Amino acid sequence: MPISKLVGARVKRREDPRLIRGLAHYVDDIQLPNVLHAAILRSPYAHARIRAMRTDQARRHPGVVAVVTGNEIRDQVGCVPVASQNPTLRVPKRYVLAVDKVCFVGEGVVVVVAEDRYAARDALDLIEVDYEPLPVVSDPEKALASGAPVIHPEWPDNVAFRFDLKQGNLAKAFKEAERVVKQRLIHQRLAPIAIEPRGVLARYLPGEDELTLWSSTQIPHILKTQLSVMLKLPENRVRVIAPEVGGGFGSKLNVYAEEGLIGHLAIKLKRPVKWIEGRRENMQGTIHGRGQVGEVEVAVKKDGTILGLQYRVIADIGAYHQLLTPGIPPLTGLMLSGAYKIPALAIEVTGVFTNKVATDAYRGAGRPEATYVIERIIDRVAQELAIDPVKIRQKNFPRPKEFPFKTATGLIYDSGNYQGALNKALRLSGYQGWRGEQRKLREKGRYLGIGLSTYVEICGMGPSAAMPAGGWESGTVRVEPTGKVTVLTGVSPHGQGQETSFAQIVADEFGVPLDDIHVIHGDTAVVPSGIGTFGSRATAVGGTAVFQAAQKVKEKAREIAAHLLESDPEDLVFSESRFSVKGVPKKGVSLQEIALEAHLARNLPKKMEPGLTATSVFEPANFTFPFGAHICIVEVDPETGRIEIRKYVAVDDCGKVINPLLVDGQIHGGIAQGLGQALLEEVVYDEEGQLLTGSLMDYALPKAEDLPRLELARTETPTPVNPLGVKGVGEAGTIGSTPAIVNAVVDALAPFGVTHVDMPLKPEKIWRLCREKKERRAEGAG
Amino acid sequence: MPQKRVSLRINGRDYTHEVEPRLLLVHYLRDMIGLTGTHIGCETSICGACTVMLNGEAIKSCTVLTVQADGGEVLTIEGLGRAEELHPLQEGFWECHGLQCGYCTPGMILAAYQLLLRHPDPTEEEIRRGLDGNLCRCTGYQHIVDAVQYAARKMRESK
């Protein structure tokens, strides 16, 4: 084993020079000669029958090349795919453009293709569509009520799927309970808002019969397969390229109508076609996240021991499924026991169709919901039993020696030391001191709150058996004849920095400088196979594949070296990128010399194939389970409803760390999004299914000023699931932070008799709540 | 559509074009000049991805018409530094991991550029407030604040 030089070091990113100089190429930056621009007319109604359309004027508009409606291509382009093995699943057909009827505001109805984007956009205004409005179901709970309008008449009601999980003797748990605590919780819809909206550029070469599609996607290989099905093209004639991608957060972990539509248009028109999503389209038509309403009930003993938990939840699916829609709410169910020993559980998930855009994976995807449920209810229990929220958590943690720990939901937590992370967070935050401060300030009429969250999450996705579309990942390492190293990975980074961290892994293995390594991703014609970047899997699964490929290359190099040095492979030592004979350091050969020999292939061991390259496909045996403890200190001003975050400490354990700089960045960004949910963000539709938060003027994203300086620390508990010991960190910050912040605010408002507030905790809501509670008390006293 | 002649100096070079009066400056820079480092993120002047300097002031080029910039001087990210001599802000963003996906970065850097012109020694609070017109969804801003502080230090030292 070489002495590690780069793995674990704060190496600055190799991606950055092109990005800080404005030289990177996102989809819209790619210029192709003769390109056409597409614009899409979208439904202004949440639910309506399309009675008639008039497109002649648009067709005659100068610069317009084509106007295409859903009916015209319904048999030519396949439906938007959904990946799920749930036997109860109902899958309504989702055409790439609406056929006969629209089911949500923003659903594509007509596409215009023109010589430039302004002409395409102008022509949209010349299209007339007669809609016959239909009754709308916007609220998921109302959508389930009997007599509610049914969105898809193929089925008797709006149920999209069910998912149930029962383990242990719940009836007994509730019978033996000394206290039962119940809470209704709303996980509002959120918009992922990658700052780069989606975009698609497609080029078809009729001579070669080849379609190349550039898309702002997290999953180029999956998209390639699905596109070939949608477009009825042989898969080996489809190439997908994810160029520079400006953020995803799950919103680009999908196969969208526009990808099929633009690919189809490029084939039909025999010219390249580009479609760049506007922000308004993005708010209406790109997936949303969360959107659950649930009721949790726990059975506890007086000392805080949890005996059982029951959760009934309605998941707002939207009008149609997208790729992973039905897979997200079940993840909530699976992770409901959180970081605690809960012997009996029952979870009932009901997915419900509503006249809204689909929900799907948004950073955390099901786990923030689970963590919020368990972390909120454990605080509620602590409040009811007057136990310190630290003590109740400690009481229910599995001990480090109990790992691997099997949960009642059937998962096996790989490794963990929850108490260790919590202790560190308590120490760093000065928890006890803040409790004293809280008492003092309360006497002065100031409201300080201390919120905890001790989360565990599921990532490193994942074993293929448990995934809807493969959970392995590929890595190829090739030493070129000149000694430069090329790495191909099936993951598709879009900000996570794996061009750097994967190079660190290989540089350590080969003893070569970082600058000699180039990491290529996101092109299905270059990278042989892959799954993509999501579920905090890239390093745990993709990094391991790269690591194993490098090891294979090194073993082959050792054999070549032994052959060249006329020595036994076992007698060679590897140091500073060179094999030499043990005890005879001068007798050696460098990796570069070996690579050249491997390519020239004039003097290789018998039967050895030329070249110095290897591919590894890593199939993880389990998920990984990062964990941590977040502590948030807030002060709430009841007169204004303003929440000030006085301190935020996050102790996260993501196993081994390849590059601490990147890990810090992931945690910072994750916490910002978790804070966004807790305090600011909310997708709002009205009763008619109109999107009221349709632009960034109406949807509040966290700004620099909304965030405090975050204090980060780590504990390091390696996973046994992969040889690198890494767990994944992309979503941990989002998962851990939201309940810490909400718990802090509820704690601050405890003197008002507040036990729960639904997110987002906007000042107005807090102000009203405080006023209401005060008034009620005054009435009671009077 | 009638055309109008515009002349602009962009990153030190002079350009003259006939443009539609409604052509947005960001589309002019990206599609006609080929400077694609300026990005579009929201179309409503909220996200700041399209921020460039026009006549010494940071503006959102997605809501400025090209004809409004006629006769003006524009600085985009491509004109800020060179490979061998990065601007201290570019260096700061690189050193401090002030970017992830990089999409907001050119606009963020130019907004910070204006901030440092006005406040060469800003406090953390001033930096956070000064960047409120620019959204980043990746970094949580902390490393961006560090990057601006790094650049401020470096620019003061080199004076």
Side-chain angles (χ1 to χ4, degrees):
Chain A
M1 191 72 186
I3 296 164
S4 178
K5 282 180 274 182
L6 289 163
V7 167
R10 287 180 91 85
V11 176
K12 65 178 184 175
R13 292 205 317 174
R14 313 179 69 232
E15 292 84 344
D16 290 2
R18 65 176 186 267
L19 297 166
I20 52 179
R21 296 184 58 221
L23 304 178
H25 288 90
Y26 301 86
V27 174
D28 199 17
D29 304 336
I30 297 166
Q31 310 281 353
L32 293 182
N34 227 10
V35 69
L36 296 168
H37 296 266
I40 298 169
L41 185 74
R42 296 179 182 276
S43 170
Y45 288 97
H47 200 193
R49 203 169 306 287
I50 300 170
R51 278 199 296 225
M53 274 192 237
R54 281 172 290 279
T55 58
D56 334 3
Q57 241 193 312
R59 284 176 209 273
R60 285 196 301 270
H61 188 70
V64 168
V65 173
V67 178
V68 177
T69 67
N71 259 318
E72 288 164 23
I73 55 167
R74 65 178 291 175
D75 297 327
Q76 296 171 49
V77 187
C79 288
V80 175
V82 48
S84 168
Q85 285 129 18
N86 187 329
T88 69
L89 189 70
R90 293 168 174 174
V91 183
K93 275 192 175 179
R94 168 79 199 277
Y95 297 100
V96 297
L97 289 174
V99 172
D100 299 334
K101 154 175 157 141
V102 288
C103 291
F104 68 95
V105 167
E107 185 168 358
V109 176
V110 184
V111 65
V112 171
V113 188
E115 297 288 346
D116 77 80
R117 35 181 131 223
Y118 284 55
R121 176 64 192 76
D122 285 343
L124 292 188
D125 295 341
L126 304 173
I127 297 168
E128 287 176 53
V129 184
D130 283 351
Y131 292 102
E132 177 194 336
L134 297 169
V136 171
V137 269
S138 178
D139 180 297
E141 289 175 288
K142 289 182 186 164
L144 272 186
S146 65
V150 174
I151 299 174
H152 302 291
E154 307 87 297
W155 300 289
D157 54 37
N158 291 312
V159 173
F161 64 86
R162 288 189 196 278
F163 172 84
D164 294 336
L165 195 64
K166 272 198 188 79
Q167 276 298 327
N169 193 338
L170 199 69
K172 183 167 162 262
F174 276 87
K175 215 172 116 195
E176 288 174 3
E178 291 168 330
R179 191 72 70 94
V180 170
V181 181
K182 221 189 224 190
Q183 183 64 52
R184 178 183 149 94
L185 296 159
I186 298 175
H187 313 261
Q188 78 273 31
R189 266 190 182 233
L190 301 176
I193 315 279
I195 304 294
E196 181 207 25
R198 291 186 295 120
V200 183
L201 169 64
R203 177 187 64 193
Y204 176 69
L205 301 174
E208 288 82 352
D209 187 25
E210 258 178 37
L211 176 75
T212 303
L213 187 120
W214 290 262
S215 183
S216 186
T217 182
Q218 302 172 223
I219 48 166
H221 285 90
I222 292 175
L223 177 56
K224 177 197 65 164
T225 304
Q226 295 299 330
L227 263 182
S228 87
V229 175
M230 287 172 88
L231 300 175
K232 303 169 184 77
L233 272 182
E235 191 174 354
N236 51 15
R237 299 304 172 107
V238 181
R239 174 185 187 184
V240 171
I241 300 174
E244 207 74 64
V245 172
F249 317 111
S251 71
K252 297 170 182 175
L253 159 57
N254 229 306
V255 175
Y256 281 100
E258 292 87 356
E259 289 166 322
L261 176 64
I262 301 301
H264 170 79
L265 292 169
I267 296 169
K268 275 280 139 143
L269 301 170
K270 297 192 171 53
R271 280 178 68 180
V273 181
K274 187 188 263 187
W275 168 76
I276 300 298
E277 184 183 57
R279 179 58 64 193
R280 213 157 59 132
E281 289 183 288
N282 175 266
M283 309 287 294
Q284 292 181 347
T286 289
I287 62 107
H288 292 160
R290 320 284 189 260
Q292 295 186 8
V293 187
E295 194 169 275
V296 58
E297 205 172 341
V298 283
V300 290
K301 294 208 286 197
K302 267 187 193 146
D303 66 358
T305 305
I306 306 173
L307 302 173
L309 180 150
Q310 179 165 284
Y311 188 53
R312 279 194 206 92
V313 62
I314 292 170
D316 179 359
I317 293 311
Y320 307 96
H321 299 286
Q322 280 281 346
L323 189 66
L324 301 174
T325 301
I328 308 305
L331 264 180
T332 305
L334 286 170
M335 287 308 294
L336 263 181
S337 51
Y340 313 108
K341 296 201 265 190
I342 304 180
L345 281 151
I347 294 140
E348 289 171 30
V349 181
T350 307
V352 181
F353 291 122
T354 55
N355 289 116
K356 300 189 246 179
V357 73
T359 51
D360 201 321
Y362 165 55
R363 201 171 193 169
R367 293 101 87 203
E369 296 91 320
T371 307
Y372 185 71
V373 171
I374 187 70
E375 290 302 298
R376 275 299 300 124
I377 197 68
I378 204 159
D379 258 38
R380 282 277 282 106
V381 171
Q383 202 179 7
E384 293 233 350
L385 298 176
I387 302 177
D388 188 297
V390 171
K391 298 232 165 65
I392 193 168
R393 286 172 166 84
Q394 287 168 334
K395 182 160 229 37
N396 290 287
F397 282 153
R399 312 286 146 207
K401 62 175 192 305
E402 292 179 69
F403 287 87
F405 176 77
K406 190 158 195 273
T407 70
T409 56
L411 296 170
I412 296 168
Y413 291 175
D414 53 348
S415 62
N417 181 353
Y418 303 159
Q419 184 64 57
L422 177 56
N423 286 345
K424 197 165 184 175
L426 292 171
R427 201 168 60 242
L428 289 173
S429 64
Y431 179 79
Q432 284 309 335
W434 283 107
R435 283 286 174 216
E437 178 77 4
Q438 181 179 43
R439 278 191 295 273
K440 268 191 241 157
L441 286 178
R442 275 184 188 169
E443 283 163 20
K444 294 183 196 158
R446 285 172 63 188
Y447 300 92
L448 192 81
I450 305 159
L452 263 82
S453 149
T454 47
Y455 73 92
V456 56
E457 71 119 336
I458 180 171
C459 75
M461 304 196 174
S464 294
M467 299 287 289
W472 48 270
E473 199 48 86
S474 86
T476 298
V477 173
R478 186 168 72 223
V479 188
E480 310 288 357
T482 55
K484 299 289 182 200
V485 182
T486 304
V487 177
L488 311 177
T489 171
V491 303
S492 197
H494 42 283
Q496 296 84 351
Q498 273 101 12
E499 291 177 32
T500 305
S501 56
F502 286 9
Q504 287 174 260
I505 293 170
V506 175
D508 272 359
E509 216 34 44
F510 289 172
V512 299
L514 214 52
D515 284 344
D516 281 357
I517 300 166
H518 184 53
V519 179
I520 297 177
H521 55 82
D523 183 342
T524 63
V526 178
V527 179
S529 63
I531 300 293
T533 290
F534 56 88
S536 303
R537 68 187 304 274
T539 308
V541 191
T544 300
V546 166
F547 174 67
Q548 291 184 345
Q551 285 183 317
K552 280 191 192 174
V553 165
K554 205 160 140 189
E555 278 319 296
K556 186 173 182 182
R558 180 186 290 273
E559 281 180 47
I560 299 171
H563 177 75
L564 295 173
L565 298 169
E566 296 177 339
S567 158
D568 191 277
E570 303 304 314
D571 291 337
L572 298 180
V573 288
F574 187 76
S575 169
E576 290 174 9
S577 198
R578 194 168 172 274
F579 282 103
S580 59
V581 179
K582 233 179 255 171
V584 198
K586 279 194 180 160
K587 196 178 171 197
V589 57
S590 73
L591 187 66
Q592 183 189 337
E593 289 164 329
I594 297 165
L596 185 62
E597 284 299 338
H599 284 270
L600 295 175
R602 290 184 300 227
N603 184 17
L604 288 179
K606 259 186 205 142
K607 292 186 178 168
M608 180 183 273
E609 286 182 12
L612 192 53
T613 181
T615 293
S616 173
V617 178
F618 179 60
E619 168 65 45
N622 189 6
F623 297 101
T624 57
F625 296 86
F627 59 91
H630 287 206
I631 296 182
C632 177
I633 319 285
V634 300
E635 187 170 346
V636 181
D637 181 350
E639 298 303 316
T640 61
R642 201 178 108 83
I643 294 162
E644 185 201 352
I645 298 182
R646 301 257 314 252
K647 193 176 191 68
Y648 197 102
V649 171
V651 176
D652 297 281
D653 192 321
C654 57
K656 282 277 191 193
V657 169
I658 309 284
N659 185 333
L661 191 62
L662 301 183
V663 168
D664 285 354
Q666 288 298 315
I667 295 288
H668 285 158
I671 292 174
Q673 288 183 357
L675 175 143
Q677 169 157 28
L679 301 182
L680 300 164
E681 297 180 38
E682 179 179 30
V683 169
V684 183
Y685 284 90
D686 69 9
E687 289 275 298
E688 293 302 308
Q690 286 298 329
L691 179 61
L692 303 184
T693 50
S695 81
L696 293 184
M697 293 191 285
D698 313 295
Y699 185 88
L701 285 192
K703 297 178 171 192
E705 257 193 310
D706 296 320
L707 280 137
R709 182 151 281 266
L710 308 168
E711 296 168 46
L712 308 189
R714 267 188 286 281
T715 57
E716 197 170 292
T717 311
T719 177
V721 173
N722 62 64
L724 295 172
V726 303
K727 290 192 171 185
V729 70
E731 296 156 290
T734 307
I735 293 164
S737 59
T738 309
I741 297 165
V742 176
N743 283 344
V745 174
V746 173
D747 184 52
L749 299 180
F752 290 85
V754 171
T755 56
H756 180 71
V757 199
D758 278 315
M759 304 179 288
L761 308 181
K762 294 182 181 179
E764 185 195 340
K765 193 185 280 177
I766 299 298
W767 176 78
R768 279 184 194 284
L769 185 69
C770 292
R771 243 174 91 100
E772 203 179 282
K773 293 276 181 188
K774 256 195 209 164
E775 278 168 10
R776 209 173 289 166
R777 294 208 158 174
E779 277 167 25
Chain B
M1 190 88 38
Q3 304 272 303
K4 191 168 182 321
R5 176 183 293 258
V6 291
S7 297
L8 286 91
R9 170 165 280 210
I10 302 166
N11 300 334
R13 277 187 63 184
D14 292 318
Y15 297 87
T16 298
H17 281 100
E18 298 283 330
V19 302
E20 274 187 45
R22 64 173 177 168
L23 182 70
L24 295 172
L25 180 60
V26 70
H27 285 144
Y28 177 72
L29 294 171
R30 290 178 50 82
D31 296 346
M32 294 185 81
I33 311 296
L35 294 171
T36 56
T38 304
H39 301 142
I40 305 171
C42 75
E43 314 143 342
T44 49
S45 284
I46 299 293
C47 84
C50 64
T51 305
V52 299
M53 297 295 290
L54 173 62
N55 301 327
E57 285 213 309
I59 54 119
K60 302 206 169 155
S61 62
C62 77
T63 38
V64 170
L65 300 170
T66 313
V67 293
Q68 289 176 291
D70 185 22
E73 198 163 323
V74 175
L75 174 69
T76 73
I77 190 70
E78 290 92 338
L80 193 64
R82 290 176 318 208
E84 60 282 5
E85 199 189 342
L86 293 173
H87 186 276
L89 273 163
Q90 289 169 314
E91 203 183 299
F93 272 71
W94 193 8
E95 288 294 331
C96 303
H97 190 28
L99 61 148
Q100 290 179 27
C101 83
Y103 197 77
C104 76
T105 309
M108 194 67 81
I109 287 179
L110 284 158
Y113 179 81
Q114 167 170 277
L115 175 74
L116 293 185
L117 285 181
R118 293 176 178 177
H119 306 280
D121 189 9
T123 62
E124 169 152 4
E125 208 184 334
E126 284 169 333
I127 295 172
R128 287 184 184 270
R129 189 162 301 163
L131 296 178
D132 257 4
N134 292 70
L135 296 175
C136 169
R137 192 61 154 162
C138 294
T139 64
Y141 303 100
Q142 189 151 319
H143 283 161
I144 292 178
V145 172
D146 296 345
V148 177
Q149 285 172 333
Y150 174 103
R153 208 161 44 236
K154 182 144 191 197
M155 286 162 78
R156 284 198 310 276
E157 280 164 10
S158 68
K159 258 184 193 159

